[in-house]
Amino acid sequence: MIGKTLNEIKIGDQAEFAKTISEFDIYMFAGITGDFNPVHINEDYAKQTFFKTRIAHGIMTAGFISTLLGTQLPGPGSIYIKQDLKFLAPVKIGDTITARVEVVEILDKKIWVRLKTTCFNQDDTQVLDGEAIISPPRAPKK
Amino acid sequence: MIGKTLNEIKIGDQAEFAKTISEFDIYMFAGITGDFNPVHINEDYAKQTFFKTRIAHGIMTAGFISTLLGTQLPGPGSIYIKQDLKFLAPVKIGDTITARVEVVEILDKKIWVRLKTTCFNQDDTQVLDGEAIISPPRAPKK
Amino acid sequence: MIGKTLNEIKIGDQAEFAKTISEFDIYMFAGITGDFNPVHINEDYAKQTFFKTRIAHGIMTAGFISTLLGTQLPGPGSIYIKQDLKFLAPVKIGDTITARVEVVEILDKKIWVRLKTTCFNQDDTQVLDGEAIISPPRAPKK
Amino acid sequence: MIGKTLNEIKIGDQAEFAKTISEFDIYMFAGITGDFNPVHINEDYAKQTFFKTRIAHGIMTAGFISTLLGTQLPGPGSIYIKQDLKFLAPVKIGDTITARVEVVEILDKKIWVRLKTTCFNQDDTQVLDGEAIISPPRAPKK
């Protein structure tokens, strides 16, 4: 249960995770965080907004980035340093979101890795853009 | 159900939200996002790490920032443009996290507001730092 | 709160439990177990498979058998020894699954009961077949 | 998003998944399945039983086997044919359960794989034994 160490990571390495967003996801996310902004949990209100229907919390989509970093690339043992997020388009119930992370820089001195982090919906519309800085797991001592 | 418009927001405006983090929060967050990194859901593994016990997902803490922006300052009708996050310290089960947002700049031309976004635990250790850019709600047409 | 003891159980005794499967059930089951196989939580992927849509986890359906054994026949105080499962057909969101258990053998010496365990959908298609071995509750000491 | 095909699977291939069992897991599993056997959700009752405290549903532990089969070995595209389960020891809140699957036979004619499926707790006590039959994903047509 150890992810990739700095030596095992190359620029261009990628990983993907996808999930169809359900009402359950949005309601549970509201329930955990307390973000009961009506645009997420009030269809009557939401249909009068620019979005026309309830939308997912932007930070929930960012959670799929965390899934990739913590379980695939680099994986277990990573320490999350920094995450920048730009919310580009709304995510609606029934959308299938594909999150991607791609290694873009290896910061040898700091033992950090920089990754491009993006999310797209089923129509290939980008909904999230950003960058993560991760400290990958160290090799276990021998 | 409309938050503060640009004219109603002043530099220095603040809001706070606090929650004691439960195992439920972490397990449910893993369940939504698929982030089953063992540091979150495997105590046997986690106690052998630097953290000594299971920790919350950093992005979950960021969700409390979203709660403030979407329900208090500016509140409903806001559009989330950007969020930068620095993860400074771990959050453990039983920690009480206080999230704060504070308006630091009003970008009149873009009709955007910049806020400092922070989270502290019960010992006043800062666990999250960052900044948000929000487009506050427009005044309803008369 | 005690189920049926060996003396109170007869061959041919039956019990039934039924539930309409919701997206919530599937997403929550994935969230508990970590089984984010895309066939369960990615509609875009699932529609390209043999199943044409997201399906429930087979083991979730088996959970309805456990419900019957643990709450009805024999009921509280039972000890679950063995369960064999054959997955015969997919379970989709909106399907109403009826689980049935029927006593087929009483193993006096071991103080065990053998039950046929089946699940059918609303069209009477069998989705699950199997057998359970249960140690029913002992009579409370007098 | 395709798991290992028959040609890519060898006897002896293994995969593991581990999770610390929380009260949340047990309560949500009860909530999905309706298995409100008091031994799972009534501490007052449970402490008077042989188990001395609330225990997890055996079928929930079996869910971790499904996680491995559906996401790792063989992974996405697999079809679950059969699962035999023997419940050997109780699982309590706070136990860390490690599920393992290991390929023990390749049934070429049927295009099936047989795997040994086991779960152990943090003290290396085996809590579940069994076998799965899986139809691994077919290679995509060219």
Side-chain angles (χ1 to χ4, degrees), chain B residues 23-24 27-28 36 41-44 54, chain D residues 17-20 22-25 96 122:
Chain B
E23 193 182 53
F24 163 84
Y27 273 53
M28 201 58 237
F36 279 69
I41 52 93
N42 182 335
E43 184 65 21
D44 237 41
R54 286 168 294 170
Chain D
F17 173 83
K19 190 181 183 187
T20 302
S22 72
E23 191 183 55
F24 161 84
D25 292 312
T96 298
Q122 67 284 347

Side-chain angles (χ1 to χ4, degrees), chain C residues 1-2 4 28 30 32 35 45 52-53 80 107 124 126:
Chain C
M1 269 194 300
I2 185 169
K4 292 181 180 175
M28 201 59 237
I32 292 171
D35 186 350
Y45 167 94
K52 306 293 182 216
T53 186
Y80 213 164
L107 300 130
D124 239 15
Q126 189 172 358

Side-chain angles (χ1 to χ4, degrees), chain B residues 56-123:
Chain B
H57 303 74
I59 295 289
M60 185 177 81
T61 315
F64 301 144
I65 302 295
S66 155
T67 299
L68 286 167
L69 301 172
T71 67
Q72 293 193 45
L73 182 63
S78 297
I79 294 175
Y80 213 164
I81 307 296
K82 208 165 161 326
Q83 178 71 55
D84 292 355
L85 301 163
K86 280 180 205 159
F87 304 105
L88 303 179
V91 172
K92 299 175 181 180
I93 295 171
D95 281 356
T96 298
I97 299 303
T98 300
R100 280 184 204 123
V101 299
E102 180 182 347
V103 177
V104 292
E105 191 180 5
I106 293 168
L107 301 131
D108 291 287
K109 271 194 191 158
K110 292 222 160 183
I111 318 182
W112 282 1
V113 175
R114 196 160 58 84
L115 302 103
K116 184 172 173 57
T117 61
T118 55
C119 292
F120 291 81
N121 71 14
Q122 66 285 348
D123 302 321

Side-chain angles (χ1 to χ4, degrees), chain C residues 42-58:
Chain C
N42 182 336
E43 184 65 21
D44 237 42
Y45 167 94
K47 73 184 177 199
Q48 296 167 47
T49 66
F50 171 74
F51 301 116
K52 306 293 182 216
T53 186
R54 286 168 293 170
I55 59 168
H57 303 74

Side-chain angles (χ1 to χ4, degrees), chain A residues 17-25 28 96 122, chain C residues 23-24 27-28 36 38 41-45 54:
Chain A
F17 173 83
K19 188 180 183 188
T20 301
I21 305 304
S22 73
E23 193 182 56
F24 162 83
D25 292 312
M28 276 315 317
T96 299
Q122 67 286 347
Chain C
E23 194 182 51
F24 162 85
Y27 274 53
M28 201 59 237
F36 279 70
I41 51 94
N42 182 336
E43 184 65 21
D44 237 42
Y45 167 94
R54 286 168 293 170

